[in-house]
PDB file of all heavy atoms in Angstrom:
ATOM      1  N   GLY A  33      34.425 238.707  31.556  1.00 91.00           N
ATOM      2  CA  GLY A  33      33.790 238.677  30.246  1.00 91.00           C
ATOM      3  C   GLY A  33      34.127 237.428  29.450  1.00 91.00           C
ATOM      4  O   GLY A  33      33.754 237.311  28.294  1.00 91.00           O
ATOM      5  N   CYS A  34      34.819 236.474  30.089  1.00 93.00           N
ATOM      6  CA  CYS A  34      35.215 235.241  29.411  1.00 93.00           C
ATOM      7  C   CYS A  34      34.171 234.149  29.605  1.00 93.00           C
ATOM      8  O   CYS A  34      33.441 234.140  30.597  1.00 93.00           O
ATOM      9  CB  CYS A  34      36.557 234.744  29.953  1.00 93.00           C
ATOM     10  SG  CYS A  34      37.909 235.860  29.607  1.00 93.00           S
ATOM     11  N   ILE A  35      34.124 233.204  28.664  1.00 91.00           N
ATOM     12  CA  ILE A  35      33.232 232.055  28.791  1.00 91.00           C
ATOM     13  C   ILE A  35      33.743 231.181  29.922  1.00 91.00           C
ATOM     14  O   ILE A  35      34.927 230.848  29.973  1.00 91.00           O
ATOM     15  CB  ILE A  35      33.182 231.253  27.487  1.00 91.00           C
ATOM     16  CG1 ILE A  35      32.630 232.112  26.354  1.00 91.00           C
ATOM     17  CG2 ILE A  35      32.340 229.991  27.652  1.00 91.00           C
ATOM     18  CD1 ILE A  35      32.750 231.477  24.987  1.00 91.00           C
ATOM     19  N   SER A  36      32.866 230.792  30.852  1.00 95.00           N
ATOM     20  CA  SER A  36      33.274 229.930  31.959  1.00 95.00           C
ATOM     21  C   SER A  36      32.760 228.503  31.793  1.00 95.00           C
ATOM     22  O   SER A  36      33.405 227.559  32.226  1.00 95.00           O
ATOM     23  CB  SER A  36      32.824 230.503  33.302  1.00 95.00           C
ATOM     24  OG  SER A  36      31.422 230.649  33.334  1.00 95.00           O
ATOM     25  N   LYS A  37      31.585 228.333  31.158  1.00 95.00           N
ATOM     26  CA  LYS A  37      30.998 226.999  30.984  1.00 95.00           C
ATOM     27  C   LYS A  37      30.214 226.947  29.686  1.00 95.00           C
ATOM     28  O   LYS A  37      29.717 227.967  29.210  1.00 95.00           O
ATOM     29  CB  LYS A  37      30.055 226.654  32.134  1.00 95.00           C
ATOM     30  CG  LYS A  37      30.726 226.557  33.466  1.00 95.00           C
ATOM     31  CD  LYS A  37      29.744 226.250  34.566  1.00 95.00           C
ATOM     32  CE  LYS A  37      30.497 226.234  35.885  1.00 95.00           C
ATOM     33  NZ  LYS A  37      29.647 226.047  37.017  1.00 95.00           N
ATOM     34  N   ILE A  38      30.107 225.730  29.150  1.00 94.00           N
ATOM     35  CA  ILE A  38      29.183 225.498  28.046  1.00 94.00           C
ATOM     36  C   ILE A  38      28.186 224.438  28.496  1.00 94.00           C
ATOM     37  O   ILE A  38      28.506 223.597  29.336  1.00 94.00           O
ATOM     38  CB  ILE A  38      29.886 225.078  26.731  1.00 94.00           C
ATOM     39  CG1 ILE A  38      30.621 223.752  26.874  1.00 94.00           C
ATOM     40  CG2 ILE A  38      30.812 226.169  26.248  1.00 94.00           C
ATOM     41  CD1 ILE A  38      31.150 223.196  25.564  1.00 94.00           C
ATOM     42  N   TYR A  39      26.995 224.510  27.960  1.00 93.00           N
ATOM     43  CA  TYR A  39      25.924 223.577  28.296  1.00 93.00           C
ATOM     44  C   TYR A  39      25.551 222.798  27.048  1.00 93.00           C
ATOM     45  O   TYR A  39      25.277 223.392  26.003  1.00 93.00           O
ATOM     46  CB  TYR A  39      24.705 224.331  28.840  1.00 93.00           C
ATOM     47  CG  TYR A  39      24.995 225.009  30.158  1.00 93.00           C
ATOM     48  CD1 TYR A  39      25.561 226.278  30.214  1.00 93.00           C
ATOM     49  CD2 TYR A  39      24.715 224.363  31.352  1.00 93.00           C
ATOM     50  CE1 TYR A  39      25.842 226.888  31.424  1.00 93.00           C
ATOM     51  CE2 TYR A  39      24.987 224.968  32.567  1.00 93.00           C
ATOM     52  CZ  TYR A  39      25.557 226.227  32.594  1.00 93.00           C
ATOM     53  OH  TYR A  39      25.836 226.825  33.795  1.00 93.00           O
ATOM     54  N   VAL A  40      25.550 221.459  27.170  1.00 92.00           N
ATOM     55  CA  VAL A  40      25.303 220.582  26.030  1.00 92.00           C
ATOM     56  C   VAL A  40      24.221 219.579  26.395  1.00 92.00           C
ATOM     57  O   VAL A  40      24.429 218.718  27.249  1.00 92.00           O
ATOM     58  CB  VAL A  40      26.597 219.824  25.636  1.00 92.00           C
ATOM     59  CG1 VAL A  40      26.346 218.910  24.453  1.00 92.00           C
ATOM     60  CG2 VAL A  40      27.732 220.795  25.351  1.00 92.00           C
ATOM     61  N   PRO A  41      23.027 219.669  25.775  1.00 88.00           N
ATOM     62  CA  PRO A  41      22.020 218.633  26.007  1.00 88.00           C
ATOM     63  C   PRO A  41      22.503 217.335  25.378  1.00 88.00           C
ATOM     64  O   PRO A  41      23.253 217.364  24.404  1.00 88.00           O
ATOM     65  CB  PRO A  41      20.770 219.163  25.318  1.00 88.00           C
ATOM     66  CG  PRO A  41      21.239 220.216  24.398  1.00 88.00           C
ATOM     67  CD  PRO A  41      22.563 220.712  24.879  1.00 88.00           C
ATOM     68  N   PRO A  42      22.108 216.183  25.923  1.00 81.00           N
ATOM     69  CA  PRO A  42      22.549 214.902  25.362  1.00 81.00           C
ATOM     70  C   PRO A  42      22.234 214.811  23.878  1.00 81.00           C
ATOM     71  O   PRO A  42      21.234 215.346  23.419  1.00 81.00           O
ATOM     72  CB  PRO A  42      21.765 213.859  26.155  1.00 81.00           C
ATOM     73  CG  PRO A  42      21.377 214.550  27.403  1.00 81.00           C
ATOM     74  CD  PRO A  42      21.226 216.004  27.064  1.00 81.00           C
TER      75      PRO A  42
END
Side-chain angles (χ1 to χ4, degrees):
C34 295
I35 298 171
S36 59
K37 296 179 183 176
I38 63 171
Y39 294 86
V40 180

